[in-house]
Amino acid sequence: MLSLDFLDDVRRMNKRQLYYQVLNFGMIVSSALMIWKGLMVITGSESPIVVVLSMEPAFHRGDLLFLTNRVEDPIRVGEIVVFRIEGREIPIVHRVLKIHEKQNGHIKFLTKGDNNAVDDRGLYKQGQHWLEKKDVVGRARGFVPYIGIVTILMNDYPKFKYAVLFLLGLFVLVHRE
Amino acid sequence: MAAAAVQGGRSGGSGGCSGAGGASNCGTGSGRSGLLDKRQGLTVLPRLIVNSWPQVICPPQPPKVLELQWKIDDKPVKIDKWDGSAVKNSLDDSAKKVLLEKYKYVENFGLIDGRLTICTISCFFAIVALIWDYMHPFPESKPVLALCVISYFVMMGILTIYTSYKEKSIFLVAHRKDPTGMDPDDIWQLSSSLKRFDDKYTLKLTFISGRTKQQREAEFTKSIAKFFDHSGTLVMDAYEPEISRLHDSLAIERKIK
């Protein structure tokens, strides 16, 4: 017979205390979620923190980038932008090479990765030669090195991610504060 | 024939229902129903129905192999003695148990319900934000998101104020109903504190008289080593007299007044 001693605390709880444990777990998740959404609102970008895959030597694989996407800031040559190509899910972090700008502020720009030999036209959609403002996820404003490696690991090994999340969730639910 | 009928009525085994499967002690008093003996005839049928009524009310017990009782209220409390919060929680719970079971007070869940409501509303805002953002992708959902985020952090602020000033460290509010039914209830409040990495546990009992609205308190500060043995089991024989002494010291004052 399994002796689940670590569940002893839970078994002694009445309904209200059990509900509070669940709420505790919910509040931790909600706090993380609200901080993320809050950052989205403040920076104006839909993914304010991204993990760089490769832009050596400026950024290395696993760096965390902090983005903003304010309408007032114009995109200029030499800036590092994060954009998403239509039909692809993963955003790309590259530098702006050329910009064509109209009088009304409408722009078209070309990008190239620092570590690549050619510009990104090979990556764009079939027939697309320029990127527009609507493809931009955000502009890089700051970065934290190396921290993103955990995210990359968890994405490469999804079982690891689920195991970590499950254990964390179990710990919060069973442990009384 | 009549003698045989009486004997038939009493012949069904003594004590215990013979329901499907396991034994249990439901309806010990009148559970004298045995197997229905067809030889007895119609005269004994009403009596057997009356006797077997408790067996019908008592549901059949699950087979012993799968019996995994969830509630362990009777097991002695064993915790990790080096974990400060587990120690405090177990002492609080045992004090609560003593007050509610020994003195038969009724617990008032008002404070706890308030905290649960605030937390539920906060989670509700988070869920609304999540669903709205999923249905209307980002740039359009900005105002709703902003509203939800601000409301969530406001609720967190309210929760902090509530736990610090209203709930303080009170973990039990119990009512003692007035036996005559005329006066409002007397209220007993228990609050405790145990500093981090410290071994001195302070338990404070507050009595608020229903009639005069006067408040009296008593407290004791003892080392937790007095209540736990070296394996981390809470020794109720050492803890319960302390609680009772605290309670009686307040109750006696009441009688003198």
Side-chain angles (χ1 to χ4, degrees):
Chain A
M1 215 58 217
L2 284 176
S3 75
L4 302 162
D5 279 339
F6 69 98
L7 283 183
D8 272 358
D9 253 350
V10 182
R11 285 157 88 181
R12 255 182 241 115
M13 287 187 200
N14 62 19
K15 282 197 286 276
R16 280 185 170 75
Q17 286 168 318
L18 279 173
Y19 181 53
Y20 185 60
Q21 289 298 108
V22 175
L23 269 184
N24 227 358
F25 174 74
M27 287 214 301
I28 291 179
V29 173
S30 305
S31 295
L33 187 72
M34 287 289 105
I35 292 178
W36 178 256
K37 299 284 178 210
L39 274 180
M40 272 169 71
V41 170
I42 294 176
T43 61
S45 149
E46 65 174 11
S47 179
I49 301 178
V50 291
V51 179
V52 176
L53 285 179
S54 79
M55 246 284 273
E56 318 250 338
F59 300 127
H60 304 273
R61 190 181 147 103
D63 290 348
L64 217 64
L65 270 189
F66 185 62
L67 310 174
T68 62
N69 194 20
R70 303 252 172 69
V71 191
E72 316 83 64
D73 297 333
I75 299 179
R76 290 280 167 259
V77 172
E79 281 184 358
I80 298 175
V81 291
V82 179
F83 56 91
R84 200 177 264 137
I85 299 179
E86 271 177 76
R88 298 210 195 177
E89 217 189 75
I90 305 179
I92 304 177
V93 186
H94 281 167
R95 205 178 290 270
V96 174
L97 215 58
K98 293 184 193 171
I99 298 188
H100 285 299
E101 189 170 347
K102 272 199 208 168
Q103 285 288 30
N104 58 10
H106 186 75
I107 56 168
K108 286 189 188 178
F109 60 98
L110 178 63
T111 59
K112 173 179 170 301
D114 284 353
N115 215 17
N116 294 348
V118 294
D119 60 34
D120 287 341
R121 286 221 168 93
L123 288 173
Y124 296 166
K125 214 172 69 164
Q126 191 74 349
Q128 182 185 15
H129 296 297
W130 300 91
L131 284 176
E132 289 172 31
K133 206 121 191 249
K134 64 175 173 58
D135 301 312
V136 172
V137 171
R139 202 165 314 129
R141 288 283 182 239
F143 84 112
V144 183
Y146 304 126
I147 294 201
I149 294 197
V150 182
T151 317
I152 295 180
L153 269 176
M154 297 225 269
N155 269 328
D156 285 346
Y157 305 107
K159 290 200 181 123
F160 174 63
K161 175 165 70 170
Y162 297 139
V164 167
L165 287 178
F166 175 71
L167 286 174
L168 273 179
L170 197 64
F171 179 74
V172 170
L173 280 175
V174 166
H175 189 73
R176 272 177 87 171
E177 55 171 19
Chain B
M1 193 62 181
V6 168
Q7 207 160 22
R10 262 190 255 128
S11 68
S14 50
C17 319
S18 52
S24 73
N25 54 355
C26 43
T28 40
S30 48
R32 279 179 302 131
S33 63
L35 301 166
L36 194 61
D37 194 343
K38 285 202 173 60
R39 280 177 303 168
Q40 301 313 317
L42 287 172
T43 51
V44 83
L45 195 62
R47 186 189 291 148
L48 278 176
I49 289 178
V50 168
N51 285 344
S52 60
W53 189 243
Q55 179 185 336
V56 170
I57 292 176
C58 182
Q61 297 296 311
K64 275 263 190 295
V65 177
L66 287 178
E67 195 173 284
L68 186 70
Q69 203 182 359
W70 182 252
K71 284 278 170 194
I72 43 166
D73 286 331
D74 299 328
K75 226 167 108 177
V77 179
K78 184 166 186 294
I79 44 104
D80 175 17
K81 65 185 177 203
W82 299 115
D83 180 1
S85 66
V87 165
K88 179 174 184 293
N89 283 327
S90 59
L91 284 174
D92 288 350
D93 285 346
S94 305
K96 213 195 301 196
K97 217 165 134 179
V98 166
L99 226 53
L100 291 179
E101 284 174 14
K102 186 169 168 204
Y103 297 102
K104 306 270 188 293
Y105 293 154
V106 174
E107 187 170 1
N108 177 345
F109 294 107
L111 276 182
I112 298 179
D113 282 347
R115 176 163 41 103
L116 290 178
T117 323
I118 297 179
C119 292
T120 310
I121 295 178
S122 320
C123 286
F124 172 71
F125 276 121
I127 293 176
V128 163
L130 185 67
I131 296 181
W132 192 268
D133 188 51
Y134 183 72
M135 309 228 291
H136 306 259
F138 176 57
E140 297 94 60
S141 60
K142 205 161 160 183
V144 173
L145 272 189
L147 183 70
C148 283
V149 168
I150 293 177
S151 319
Y152 181 81
F153 286 115
V154 164
M155 292 306 301
M156 285 285 114
I158 295 180
L159 180 70
T160 314
I161 296 179
Y162 184 86
T163 31
S164 312
Y165 294 110
K166 188 128 201 301
E167 219 179 340
K168 288 175 261 194
S169 42
I170 298 174
F171 59 88
L172 174 69
V173 177
H175 283 228
R176 193 188 78 97
K177 297 230 167 294
D178 191 39
T180 60
M182 286 199 308
D183 292 335
D185 299 335
D186 297 329
I187 303 179
W188 295 84
Q189 281 177 358
L190 269 180
S191 64
S192 70
S193 69
L194 176 67
K195 285 213 212 25
R196 245 189 126 180
F197 306 131
D198 196 7
D199 72 321
K200 295 275 178 283
Y201 175 74
T202 305
L203 185 68
K204 186 160 83 160
L205 184 59
T206 309
F207 171 75
I208 303 175
S209 163
R211 205 168 7 108
T212 61
K213 295 283 179 279
Q214 269 181 333
Q215 191 168 329
R216 281 196 307 277
E217 352 184 288
E219 69 174 36
F220 71 79
T221 304
K222 281 238 158 85
S223 165
I224 54 178
K226 292 221 189 295
F227 306 126
F228 286 91
D229 67 12
H230 68 93
S231 69
T233 312
L234 176 61
V235 181
M236 279 312 279
D237 295 339
Y239 192 49
E240 210 208 300
E242 291 288 332
I243 314 275
S244 304
R245 199 174 334 143
L246 209 60
H247 174 271
D248 295 338
S249 73
L250 283 179
I252 289 175
E253 273 186 62
R254 190 175 72 88
K255 285 202 183 82
I256 292 176
K257 279 203 195 304

